[in-house]
């Protein structure tokens, strides 16, 4: 795009914006001396890892910063007028009208108490003088424009009756209601399944042309960037480290940080290492089903949900099996049954080696739990904040009869393996970043010397560069300990990088299985094909810098 | 919506029936009712005669259904102590308790909710601190002491309002304040906490990004969500205020139903106690039912799931 730099074309121009952080912050400025321009008909992607200041930039443009953050310097010119020196009333008049925003979490971004129609109507009510009839007509038109089915029914529906993707479309409809010149989207597809993401991204590309707007699209995902960006800004620690056209940044990045980020993007192909076919089976699952029956009340009929339907698979020692599926596909229920946090249906069989794990109970079950350990998705919620790392790491082995001294020796060794210093043992989880916490979680799981490690979306909450490190770590551990890993993810690219074999789940059933190559290069099932087609950034092959 | 109300209504009826069984069984839990009525010096024959006369010799189920049928028609029998029909006795006093309870609740809500909202807009501000002070006081100060102090200041020293009785609406002013102040802290704190929670939610951010007015954000979007738990709390508080106003009623010599309950318990006047238990529980049930309906109207998730 050549529009960049032409002042007359720009919708938004941020000049030397500086926002100081409170004294307790980990750096001095949230955003430092930041300047950028957004033109009409342009999608500007701001990329950066968490804490890079990309959201703060967009929030300050919209005037949505929390009170403790106030810009100390700089200008935010919107169509030539400085938003920061404008009266609040005037600025409020622009919001939702000339400039609007779409947020990351569609599930909570709509008020649960009001209908979709009511919340759409509000924008017209606040900014235009329109009859009720006209408002309704415009609202219905908007619902059609964002390609929602049955606008008339949706108009009177409440947010909780709709899916995440539908809700995000409604948020988009609200944002484009009055033809804004500037549209800011903060990670709008991060919380969505890959097929829904593909549809929303397509919608954004259309909006750029039909509404003649400048779009700021904030994301951490380079594949999404490759899909829609005209121009890219890369941010780190509150500063712009590199900017340029999509082609320049994606294919010829200059700055080392940009290179690092792009290098960490999961590649679509994997360097293949053959797994040993003769290895014994570590865990096998026969006819594993889990049916949830919610007991009906006096006036409530009981509900039966078959979360997992008759799953069969086996994993060999030293193999990494990926289980892939969208939200609601039953993968988490499957895992919970595997580690017996849930009791599977009666005729289900889970064998760990020769041991029938599915029928154990009480103390026998407890004793065998050390064979199979899990690392959860959210590293922030899965460590007890009031216990030191030492206590967290030795608790497991001590429970299974290892002496404290031996457990501590093991903990120190494991910390070295997950590349954390031994002297962190007296610290608390809150003192670590997400990536470090996930390493601690992995060390905790390994502390009882399990045969099988389950990673349930264990890298989904992490930044790409951290994600890459954790993936490498898992691979290393597998080789070092001969561990069997079951890796649950919704992200096909991550699965392709790490796993040997793949199961694809949909609605509680395994719809496709096979080696990574077979599943990704020649998918047989229609659903797998759909999932792969929905991956963003298909036309971009991340460059290599080695 | 209709189905939901019907369900709620039927469970309310079931709860009411359960309560009626419990309050009926009081008769047998306390002691042999015939012996109690006949008095300490009665002979065995006398007690048998009383038993026959009151029908205590029949099967319990029969007695229960007879009692219930009469109770539904408003006939709770005769008070052992006052020798008057229980229904007459309660009817007079209930209106006093109702007036006091309702005015106390209105007083509590009309202070607690605005105060909670203001406190939540500016947390840790002067007004928030003041609201916190008021609510801590309300929780710490016993009703009877507050009542006495108010009487000393406003009735005896200043002579603005009567100290006791039910002659005019002025007599209700002090009891209303005392009773209302008892209910206020919890409602205030819950409103404040709810508002703080809601104001930091994603949909309030969306509302701000839409450029809506402050008033619309605060009242349309925030308060409606924040008030939902407050409604349930207020219903329970209302039940307490009707049944538990005994202290306030005795301080201000208001002869309401709470006072009657206290009298009947100390005199072992079983028919009156039974009737009061049933009526107070019915109040709880009715207010909870009304709160459910109000919440269903406020929160569509409850009616559409």
């Amino acid at each position: 795009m050549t529009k960049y730099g032409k002042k007359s074309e720009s919708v938004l121009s941020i000049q030397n914006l500086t926002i100081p952080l409170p004294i307790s912050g980990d750096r001095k400025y949230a955003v430092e001396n930041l300047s950028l321009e957004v033109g009409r008909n342009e999608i500007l992607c701001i990329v950066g890892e968490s804490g890079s200041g990309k959201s703060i930039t967009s929030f300050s443009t919209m005037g949505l910063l929390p009170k403790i953050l106030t810009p100390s310097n700089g200008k935010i010119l919107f169509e030539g007028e400085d938003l920061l020196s404008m009266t609040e009333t005037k600025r409020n008049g622009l919001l939702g009208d000339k400039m609007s925003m779409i947020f990351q979490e569609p599930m909570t971004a709509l008020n649960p108490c009001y209908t979709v129609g009511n919340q759409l109507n509000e924008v017209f009510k606040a900014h235009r003088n329109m009859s009720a009839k006209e408002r309704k007509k415009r609202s219905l038109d908007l619902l059609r424009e964002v390609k929602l089915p049955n606008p008339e029914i949706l108009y009177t529906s409440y947010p909780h009756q709709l899916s995440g993707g539908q809700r995000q479309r409604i948020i988009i409809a609200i944002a484009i209601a009055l033809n804004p010149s500037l549209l800011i989207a903060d990670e709008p597809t991060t919380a969505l399944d890959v097929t829904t993401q593909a549809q929303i991204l397509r919608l954004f590309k259309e909006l750029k042309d039909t509404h003649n707007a400048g779009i700021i699209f904030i994301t951490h995902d380079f594949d999404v960037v490759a899909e829609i960006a005209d121009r890219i800004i890369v941010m780190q620690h509150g500063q712009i480290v590199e900017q340029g056209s999509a082609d320049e940044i994606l294919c010829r990045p200059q700055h080392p940080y940009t290179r690092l980020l792009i290098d960490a993007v999961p590649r679509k192909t994997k360097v293949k290492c053959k797994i040993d076919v003769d290895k014994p089976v570590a865990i096998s699952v026969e006819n594993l089903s889990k049916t949830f029956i919610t007991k009906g009340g006096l006036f409530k009929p009981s509900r039966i949900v078959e979360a997992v339907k008759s799953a069969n698979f086996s994993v060999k020692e030293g193999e990494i099996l990926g289980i892939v599926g969208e939200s609601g596909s039953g993968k988490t229920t499957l895992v919970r049954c595997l580690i017996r946090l849930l009791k599977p249906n009666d005729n289900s069989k889970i064998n760990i080696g020769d041991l029938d794990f599915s029928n154990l109970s009480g103390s026998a079950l407890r004793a065998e739990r050390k064979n199979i350990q899990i690392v959860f998705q959210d590293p922030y919620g899965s460590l007890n904040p009031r216990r030191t790392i030492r206590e967290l790491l030795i608790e497991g082995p001590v429970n299974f009869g290892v002496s404290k001294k031996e457990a501590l020796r093991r903990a120190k060794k494991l910390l070295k393996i997950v590349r954390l210093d031994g002297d962190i043992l007296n610290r608390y989880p809150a003192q670590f970043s997400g990536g470090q916490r996930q390493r601690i979680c992995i060390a905790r799981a390994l502390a009882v010397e399990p045969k099988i490690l389950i990673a349930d979306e264990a890298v989904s909450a992490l930044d790409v560069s951290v994600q890459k490190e954790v993936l490498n770590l898992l691979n290393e551990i597998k080789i070092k300990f001969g561990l069997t890993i079951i890796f649950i993810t919704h992200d096909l690219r991550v699965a392709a990088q790490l796993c040997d074999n793949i199961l694809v789940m949909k609605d509680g059933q395994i719809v496709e299985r096979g080696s990574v190559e077979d599943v990704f290069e020649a998918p047989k099932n229609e659903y797998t094909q759909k999932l792969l087609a929905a991956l963003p950034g298909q036309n971009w092959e991340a460059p290599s810098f080695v | 919506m209709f189905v939901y109300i019907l369900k709620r209504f039927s469970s309310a009826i079931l709860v009411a029936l359960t309560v009626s069984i419990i309050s009926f069984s009081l008769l047998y839990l306390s002691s042999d009712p015939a012996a109690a009525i006949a008095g300490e010096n009665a002979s065995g024959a006398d007690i048998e005669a009383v038993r026959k006369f009151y029908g205590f010799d029949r099967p319990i189920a029969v007695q229960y259904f007879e009692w219930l049928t009469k109770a539904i028609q408003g006939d709770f029998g005769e008070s052992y102590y006052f020798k008057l029909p229980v229904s007459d006795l309660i009817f007079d006093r209930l209106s006093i308790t109702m007036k006091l309870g309702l005015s106390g609740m209105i007083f509590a809500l009309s202070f607690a909710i605005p105060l909670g909202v203001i406190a939540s807009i500016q947390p840790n501000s002067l007004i928030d601190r003041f609201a916190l002070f008021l609510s801590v006081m309300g929780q710490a100060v016993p009703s009877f002491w507050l009542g006495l102090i108010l009487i000393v200041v406003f009735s005896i020293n200043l002579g603005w309002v009567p100290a006791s009785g039910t002659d005019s609406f002025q007599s209700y002013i002090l009891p209303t304040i005392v009773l209302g102040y008892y209910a206020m802290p919890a409602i205030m704190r819950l409103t404040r906490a709810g508002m703080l929670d809601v104001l930091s939610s994603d949909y309030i951010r969306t509302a701000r990004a839409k450029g809506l007015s402050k008033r619309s954000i605060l009242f349309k979007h925030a308060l409606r969500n924040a008030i939902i738990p407050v409604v349930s709390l207020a219903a329970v508080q209302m039940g307490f205020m009707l049944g538990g106003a005994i202290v306030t009623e005795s301080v201000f010599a208001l002869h309401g139903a709470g006072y009657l309950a206290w009298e009947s318990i100390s005199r072992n006047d079983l028919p009156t106690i039974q009737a009061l238990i049933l009526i107070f529980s019915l109040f709880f049930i009715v207010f909870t039912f009304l709160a459910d309906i109000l919440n269903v109207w406020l929160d569509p998730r409850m009616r559409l799931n």
Side-chain angles (χ1 to χ4, degrees):
Chain A
M1 286 284 136
T2 48
K3 276 174 193 142
Y4 171 53
K6 278 192 208 162
K7 277 259 155 64
S8 55
E9 298 263 7
S10 74
V11 183
L12 181 80
S13 157
I14 298 182
Q15 299 174 357
N16 307 319
L17 181 70
T18 299
I19 304 171
L21 277 174
I23 310 291
S24 56
D26 56 350
R27 58 174 194 256
K28 230 173 145 190
Y29 299 105
V31 174
E32 195 179 352
N33 222 355
L34 179 128
S35 301
L36 62 83
E37 308 246 344
V38 188
R40 284 194 183 277
N41 281 339
E42 169 180 70
I43 297 184
L44 170 71
C45 277
I46 304 186
V47 201
E49 296 189 290
S50 43
S52 59
K54 53 194 196 313
S55 287
I56 302 267
T57 308
S58 60
F59 276 52
S60 61
T61 308
M62 291 295 287
L64 295 175
L65 284 180
K67 276 182 195 138
I68 46 162
L69 294 177
T70 326
S72 64
N73 189 26
K75 283 180 180 167
I76 302 179
L77 299 176
F78 174 72
E79 295 186 333
E81 279 190 275
D82 186 16
L83 293 170
L84 295 178
S85 56
M86 202 177 267
T87 62
E88 213 183 316
T89 334
K90 191 168 175 200
R91 188 172 184 166
N92 254 346
L94 292 175
L95 295 183
D97 184 355
K98 294 260 163 223
M99 52 199 288
S100 55
M101 184 156 178
I102 297 158
F103 302 96
Q104 172 168 5
E105 193 36 83
M107 298 310 274
T108 52
L110 289 167
N111 193 328
C113 285
Y114 296 98
T115 59
V116 167
N118 186 323
Q119 297 187 54
L120 269 165
N121 253 302
E122 242 178 9
V123 190
F124 297 119
K125 248 191 229 170
H127 299 286
R128 296 281 189 282
N129 221 338
M130 265 185 213
S131 68
K133 215 176 134 191
E134 195 179 346
R135 283 201 300 262
K136 181 167 181 184
K137 191 187 154 289
R138 290 275 299 263
S139 303
L140 290 173
D141 286 345
L142 278 170
L143 293 176
R144 261 174 233 122
E145 184 175 353
V146 294
K147 310 216 167 57
L148 279 162
N150 305 324
E152 296 276 352
I153 296 171
L154 276 177
Y155 188 82
T156 53
S157 302
Y158 287 92
H160 72 273
Q161 298 170 304
L162 312 175
S163 72
Q166 288 176 319
R167 291 189 214 191
Q168 196 62 298
R169 280 163 202 262
I170 286 160
I171 308 267
I172 294 172
I174 290 172
I176 60 172
L178 295 167
N179 261 318
S181 355
L182 176 70
L183 187 61
I184 301 177
D186 187 0
E187 305 259 10
T189 59
T190 309
L192 303 174
D193 278 328
V194 54
T195 43
T196 320
Q197 168 173 285
Q199 294 160 4
I200 300 275
L201 290 180
R202 205 172 310 135
L203 188 60
F204 266 99
K205 282 197 259 185
E206 288 173 21
L207 288 177
K208 179 181 74 169
D209 297 329
T210 51
H211 286 257
N212 196 24
I215 299 177
I216 298 182
F217 194 104
I218 295 170
T219 181
H220 66 279
D221 187 335
F222 265 98
D223 284 317
V224 168
V225 173
E227 191 69 36
I228 62 163
D230 294 320
R231 213 149 50 75
I232 301 171
I233 282 180
V234 183
M235 283 185 74
Q236 186 192 21
H237 304 320
Q239 287 171 323
I240 294 178
V241 295
E242 186 165 4
Q243 58 177 313
S245 71
D247 187 54
E248 279 164 20
I249 304 283
L250 289 172
C251 302
R252 297 177 297 282
Q254 301 302 313
H255 194 276
Y257 181 68
T258 317
R259 289 176 165 223
L260 177 92
L261 285 181
I262 290 181
D263 199 39
V265 173
R267 295 300 188 271
K268 277 139 210 151
T269 47
K270 183 196 163 180
V271 189
K272 178 73 187 159
C273 56
K274 256 280 149 293
I275 43 162
D276 212 333
V277 197
D278 303 329
K279 280 275 172 81
V281 170
I283 180 166
S284 71
V285 166
E286 281 168 50
N287 195 24
L288 176 76
S289 309
K290 176 68 192 173
T291 312
F292 289 105
I293 301 173
T294 48
K295 278 240 176 71
L298 199 49
F299 304 102
K300 207 168 67 186
S302 62
R303 236 160 57 93
I304 298 174
V305 179
E306 288 181 77
V308 179
K309 296 173 204 158
S310 187
N312 291 290
F313 61 88
S314 64
V315 193
K316 292 205 168 74
E317 275 178 22
E319 177 187 334
I320 302 186
L321 174 74
I323 301 181
V324 186
E326 296 190 292
S327 48
S329 60
K331 48 194 199 306
T332 295
T333 307
L334 175 67
V335 167
R336 299 233 151 144
C337 289
L338 283 183
I339 53 169
R340 289 289 311 273
L341 286 178
L342 287 174
K343 178 126 183 58
N345 290 2
D346 278 344
N347 45 9
S348 309
K349 264 210 158 28
I350 303 165
N351 291 312
I352 297 180
D354 300 326
L355 179 84
D356 181 1
F357 192 58
S358 45
N359 284 318
L360 296 176
S361 61
S363 58
L365 171 64
R366 215 180 71 85
E368 298 300 336
R369 279 199 189 282
K370 72 170 172 32
N371 287 328
I372 186 161
Q373 286 292 314
I374 189 163
V375 177
F376 292 100
Q377 170 168 11
D378 178 12
Y380 292 91
S382 49
L383 292 169
N384 186 337
R386 305 221 183 281
R387 314 205 69 185
T388 60
I389 304 305
R390 179 203 310 272
E391 289 170 322
L392 290 166
L393 289 182
I394 68 171
E395 187 181 29
V398 168
N399 258 333
F400 288 112
V402 176
S403 76
K404 270 198 176 166
K405 220 176 125 192
E406 165 64 15
L408 191 62
R409 198 190 57 76
R410 222 187 260 179
K412 282 183 182 155
K413 200 177 121 206
L414 281 169
L415 282 181
K416 205 175 275 169
I417 290 169
V418 299
R419 289 192 216 94
L420 288 168
D421 281 341
D423 58 3
I424 63 158
L425 280 168
N426 291 325
R427 294 209 224 153
Y428 289 90
Q431 294 167 282
F432 298 93
S433 69
Q436 287 171 321
R437 283 188 216 202
Q438 203 59 303
R439 287 156 196 266
I440 294 168
C441 288
I442 292 172
R444 187 206 53 77
L446 294 178
V448 295
E449 301 184 333
K451 293 180 185 147
I452 297 148
L453 181 70
I454 297 181
D456 186 1
E457 300 273 10
V459 297
S460 307
L462 306 174
D463 278 327
V464 266
S465 59
V466 185
Q467 184 176 6
K468 190 181 182 192
E469 286 169 31
V470 174
L471 287 177
N472 286 342
L473 177 65
L474 284 174
N475 217 352
E476 215 172 279
I477 288 166
K478 179 198 96 169
I479 295 161
K480 206 166 203 154
F481 294 89
L483 208 62
T484 306
I485 298 179
I486 299 179
F487 190 85
I488 317 297
T489 184
H490 69 280
D491 191 331
L492 295 148
R493 296 162 295 178
V494 171
Q497 251 199 336
L498 183 73
C499 304
D500 303 309
N501 288 312
I502 298 269
L503 297 179
V504 181
M505 283 188 79
K506 185 187 187 245
D507 301 333
Q509 258 165 338
I510 298 174
V511 293
E512 175 133 16
R513 64 179 79 212
S515 70
V516 169
E517 293 79 22
D518 292 348
V519 171
F520 282 78
E521 274 147 41
K524 288 180 208 75
N525 185 278
E526 201 182 315
Y527 176 69
T528 318
Q529 291 164 359
K530 210 176 101 195
L531 277 183
L532 288 168
L535 280 178
Q538 307 254 359
N539 301 324
W540 174 60
E541 191 60 48
S544 236
F545 310 108
V546 215
Chain B
M1 178 84 173
F2 178 73
V3 176
Y4 179 87
I5 293 176
L6 200 69
K7 282 177 187 172
R8 284 276 132 197
F9 186 70
S10 351
S11 25
I13 297 279
L14 284 181
V15 176
L17 278 176
T18 315
V19 170
S20 75
I21 291 174
I22 294 171
S23 79
F24 172 77
S25 59
L26 271 186
L27 195 64
Y28 284 93
L29 282 177
S30 48
S31 62
D32 180 356
I37 296 170
E40 274 174 47
N41 303 320
S43 66
D46 289 342
I47 294 175
E48 277 315 303
V50 170
R51 198 187 302 283
K52 270 244 149 51
F53 180 77
Y54 282 98
F56 292 141
D57 53 344
R58 293 171 302 157
I60 290 186
V62 175
Q63 293 183 50
Y64 167 69
F65 280 110
E66 191 191 70
W67 176 79
L68 186 65
T69 327
K70 283 187 175 168
I72 288 169
Q73 293 160 358
D75 178 6
F76 291 97
E78 193 174 85
S79 158
Y80 296 164
Y81 176 77
F82 292 100
K83 306 288 180 206
L84 282 169
V86 171
S87 45
D88 293 357
L89 210 57
I90 291 179
F91 188 75
D92 284 349
R93 318 238 172 159
L94 212 53
S95 73
I96 294 176
T97 303
M98 291 280 275
K99 275 184 218 159
L100 181 58
L102 283 176
S103 56
M105 190 38 108
I106 291 167
F107 173 80
L109 289 177
S110 53
F111 274 86
I113 292 178
L115 211 55
V117 170
I118 296 170
S120 72
I121 301 172
Q122 295 171 310
N124 299 322
S125 64
L126 206 61
I127 195 145
D128 186 23
R129 294 290 159 88
F130 172 71
L132 179 67
F133 169 76
L134 267 189
S135 67
V136 169
M137 286 277 286
Q139 273 161 337
V141 171
S143 304
F144 71 88
W145 186 81
L146 180 66
L148 292 175
I149 295 294
L150 290 181
I151 290 174
V152 169
V153 175
F154 294 101
S155 305
I156 300 175
N157 290 348
L158 295 170
W160 289 353
V161 283
S164 62
T166 50
D167 306 329
S168 60
F169 84 93
Q170 279 110 326
S171 340
Y172 283 100
I173 293 177
L174 292 186
T176 297
I177 294 174
V178 172
L179 197 60
Y181 192 37
Y182 166 79
M184 220 179 81
I187 297 177
M188 209 285 289
R189 300 306 290 173
L190 195 62
T191 309
R192 179 185 180 273
M195 280 297 281
L196 271 180
D197 209 35
V198 170
L199 283 176
S200 63
S201 68
D202 286 355
Y203 53 83
I204 294 298
R205 193 179 56 186
T206 309
R208 287 173 65 199
K210 279 178 179 174
L212 302 184
S213 68
K214 277 217 168 78
R215 217 192 55 204
S216 170
I217 291 174
L218 208 56
F219 293 105
K220 181 180 170 187
H221 285 278
L223 190 58
R224 180 159 173 177
N225 281 285
I227 210 78
I228 292 165
V230 177
V231 170
S232 314
L233 175 74
V236 177
Q237 296 261 29
M238 188 68 209
F240 273 121
M241 286 167 91
L242 290 176
I246 304 177
V247 176
T248 314
E249 285 183 10
S250 34
V251 170
F252 292 96
L254 293 169
H255 288 259
Y259 190 71
L260 179 66
W262 176 72
E263 275 182 313
S264 313
I265 291 166
S266 57
R267 286 171 183 140
N268 217 359
D269 190 352
L270 270 177
T272 319
I273 298 176
Q274 279 181 320
L276 284 170
I277 289 177
L278 194 62
I279 287 170
F280 285 148
S281 330
L282 284 181
F283 276 131
F284 260 97
I285 293 165
V286 168
F287 284 116
T288 319
F289 175 65
L290 290 179
D292 280 345
I293 305 247
L294 189 56
N295 272 345
V296 163
W297 176 74
L298 284 171
D299 187 351
R301 282 169 296 184
M302 291 193 214
R303 73 184 106 115
L304 296 168
N305 263 342

